[in-house]
Amino acid sequence: MARLKSRFLVDLLLRRTEAAGGFAAILARGDETSGIILVQCSDRGEPGPLLERRFSLDGRYIWQAVGPDDPKDGEARANYQERRRKADPDLWIVELDIADAPQLVAEWAALT
């Protein structure tokens, strides 16, 4: 089965968020074809979880909560993202600011 390109998936997520009345932005651009996607969730500026789309051993993509346990720890969150970006320069980092961002990501993931 053909895999959708990361850039296409990020663009779809941005449009879906904006159509639902939220804000979405690309904080770091990754590999256009196969970069991993990290979503920084928030609701009206209040930080939520970091969600990362990863390739699993069974050949499918899964979403996992990653990063610091306390999403309000801005320094730990920024440090985590910086470490991930250094370890994987192909990583996309996308910010979503919308009510129930994790649910929107789950709905979007079901489409892909």
Side-chain angles (χ1 to χ4, degrees), residues 92-112:
W92 289 83
I93 301 177
V94 179
E95 178 183 8
L96 302 183
D97 194 338
I98 188 168
D100 205 8
Q103 178 61 35
L104 184 121
V105 170
E107 291 170 2
W108 165 77
L111 298 174
T112 62

Side-chain angles (χ1 to χ4, degrees), residues 3-10 31-34 37 53:
R3 298 191 196 279
L4 298 174
K5 293 183 178 185
S6 296
R7 177 57 197 236
F8 176 80
L9 295 172
V10 168
D31 181 74
E32 299 273 327
T33 303
S34 61
I37 302 168
R53 182 175 184 251

Side-chain angles (χ1 to χ4, degrees), residues 57-78:
L57 296 175
D58 66 0
R60 298 179 188 193
Y61 284 104
I62 58 171
W63 283 91
Q64 289 182 321
V66 296
D69 291 331
D70 181 8
K72 295 183 190 251
D73 185 348
E75 185 177 343
R77 190 175 173 123

Side-chain angles (χ1 to χ4, degrees), residues 20-33:
F23 169 80
I26 297 172
L27 302 179
R29 293 185 186 276
D31 181 74
E32 299 273 327
T33 303

